[in-house]
mmCIF file of all heavy atoms in Angstrom:
data_model
loop_
_atom_site.group_PDB
_atom_site.id
_atom_site.type_symbol
_atom_site.label_atom_id
_atom_site.label_comp_id
_atom_site.label_asym_id
_atom_site.label_seq_id
_atom_site.Cartn_x
_atom_site.Cartn_y
_atom_site.Cartn_z
ATOM 1 N N LEU A 5 -6.611 -27.032 55.710
ATOM 2 C CA LEU A 5 -6.260 -26.605 57.036
ATOM 3 C C LEU A 5 -7.547 -26.755 57.974
ATOM 4 O O LEU A 5 -7.417 -27.220 59.087
ATOM 5 C CB LEU A 5 -5.809 -25.121 57.051
ATOM 6 C CG LEU A 5 -5.483 -24.550 58.424
ATOM 7 C CD1 LEU A 5 -4.376 -25.353 59.129
ATOM 8 C CD2 LEU A 5 -5.023 -23.081 58.268
ATOM 9 N N GLY A 50 -9.992 -38.371 95.642
ATOM 10 C CA GLY A 50 -9.308 -39.351 94.747
ATOM 11 C C GLY A 50 -9.140 -38.968 93.340
ATOM 12 O O GLY A 50 -9.233 -39.734 92.443
ATOM 13 N N ASP A 57 -3.937 -45.643 87.751
ATOM 14 C CA ASP A 57 -4.212 -46.771 86.874
ATOM 15 C C ASP A 57 -3.429 -46.778 85.648
ATOM 16 O O ASP A 57 -2.881 -47.749 85.166
ATOM 17 C CB ASP A 57 -5.758 -46.810 86.496
ATOM 18 C CG ASP A 57 -6.637 -47.175 87.678
ATOM 19 O OD1 ASP A 57 -6.101 -47.774 88.644
ATOM 20 O OD2 ASP A 57 -7.830 -46.915 87.629
ATOM 21 N N PRO A 96 -22.455 -35.022 64.907
ATOM 22 C CA PRO A 96 -22.525 -33.588 65.066
ATOM 23 C C PRO A 96 -22.520 -33.122 66.596
ATOM 24 O O PRO A 96 -23.270 -33.685 67.379
ATOM 25 C CB PRO A 96 -23.849 -33.215 64.348
ATOM 26 C CG PRO A 96 -24.697 -34.445 64.471
ATOM 27 C CD PRO A 96 -23.729 -35.624 64.457
ATOM 28 N N ALA A 166 -37.474 -39.090 60.518
ATOM 29 C CA ALA A 166 -36.832 -37.790 60.089
ATOM 30 C C ALA A 166 -36.773 -37.655 58.610
ATOM 31 O O ALA A 166 -36.689 -36.537 58.093
ATOM 32 C CB ALA A 166 -35.448 -37.709 60.709
ATOM 33 N N SER A 172 -27.058 -34.845 61.285
ATOM 34 C CA SER A 172 -27.456 -33.458 61.508
ATOM 35 C C SER A 172 -28.928 -33.265 61.110
ATOM 36 O O SER A 172 -29.677 -32.543 61.783
ATOM 37 C CB SER A 172 -26.574 -32.555 60.751
ATOM 38 O OG SER A 172 -25.189 -32.543 61.199
ATOM 39 N N GLY A 253 -30.149 -34.098 70.326
ATOM 40 C CA GLY A 253 -28.786 -33.568 70.047
ATOM 41 C C GLY A 253 -28.552 -32.250 70.726
ATOM 42 O O GLY A 253 -28.629 -32.138 71.979
ATOM 43 N N PRO A 257 -32.468 -24.723 75.344
ATOM 44 C CA PRO A 257 -32.474 -23.242 75.446
ATOM 45 C C PRO A 257 -31.191 -22.612 74.864
ATOM 46 O O PRO A 257 -30.123 -23.073 75.117
ATOM 47 C CB PRO A 257 -32.626 -23.003 76.956
ATOM 48 C CG PRO A 257 -33.221 -24.220 77.486
ATOM 49 C CD PRO A 257 -32.726 -25.336 76.669
ATOM 50 N N LEU A 293 -29.548 -63.782 77.755
ATOM 51 C CA LEU A 293 -29.115 -62.718 76.834
ATOM 52 C C LEU A 293 -29.689 -62.895 75.405
ATOM 53 O O LEU A 293 -30.150 -61.978 74.801
ATOM 54 C CB LEU A 293 -27.571 -62.751 76.801
ATOM 55 C CG LEU A 293 -26.827 -61.692 76.016
ATOM 56 C CD1 LEU A 293 -25.552 -61.297 76.762
ATOM 57 C CD2 LEU A 293 -26.471 -62.139 74.637
#
Side-chain angles (χ1 to χ4, degrees):
L5 180 58
D57 288 341
S172 298
L293 187 144

